[in-house]
Amino acid sequence: MQLDFENLTRENDSLKVENQSLKEDNASINQTLAKQAAMIDQLGSDLLQLKHDHSKQNVLLETLAQYLADPLRLENEKLKAENASLRKNANLNGNVPQLLAENASLKLENKVLKVQNDALCGKIISDNDKKRARTVI
């Protein structure tokens, strides 16, 4: 009986040590889970902010694209109307070289405006990419 008592005492002590170790492991795991939950919350908040920023950038890009495209379209329509008027009023035999020169000039001006539009759109995209890169870091 004494031997059984000693064995049970040793087993009880061993179980107490194991129980304490498991409690410490549980506390450590709970602490890790709390940190991860906080990190998930922060990432969710960051994601919402990025979505908001993205939405604002899209609105800005659409506005700027419309702002840039409208004057070009209006200018092009104006040039077409002026060209048509000149053709209508021109003496085709005497004004052909002048009309061809003016037409070439208008085409060149149209190309310059398109290049400027493309450059501005490229700058907007580049600025947005840089802003995203800074936000990610």
Side-chain angles (χ1 to χ4, degrees), residues 67-113:
Y67 175 75
L68 292 172
D70 282 347
L72 289 176
R73 189 177 65 245
L74 292 173
E75 180 69 19
N76 199 10
E77 289 173 7
K78 177 183 161 191
L79 291 174
K80 284 180 182 179
E82 187 177 337
N83 197 345
S85 174
L86 288 173
R87 283 181 186 269
K88 183 178 177 182
N89 295 330
N91 176 355
L92 292 180
N93 292 330
N95 291 334
V96 169
Q98 179 187 355
L99 288 175
L100 289 174
E102 187 174 344
N103 193 25
S105 173
L106 292 174
K107 286 181 180 179
L108 179 63
E109 186 177 347
N110 196 18
K111 285 181 183 180
V112 168
L113 289 172

Side-chain angles (χ1 to χ4, degrees), residues 9-66:
T9 301
R10 280 193 299 272
E11 185 178 349
N12 191 28
D13 291 342
S14 173
L15 289 173
K16 285 180 182 178
V17 169
E18 184 178 353
N19 191 26
Q20 183 61 33
S21 174
L22 290 173
K23 285 180 182 179
E24 290 170 2
D25 288 348
N26 188 35
S28 174
I29 289 171
N30 284 339
Q31 186 178 17
T32 301
L33 287 174
K35 287 179 184 177
Q36 289 177 346
M39 185 182 290
I40 288 171
D41 289 343
Q42 180 61 43
L43 289 172
S45 175
D46 291 349
L47 180 61
L48 287 175
Q49 182 62 41
L50 288 172
K51 283 182 179 180
H52 179 71
D53 291 346
H54 183 263
S55 176
K56 287 191 317 188
Q57 287 176 355
N58 277 346
V59 168
L60 176 65
L61 182 60
E62 288 174 14
T63 302
L64 287 175
Q66 189 176 20

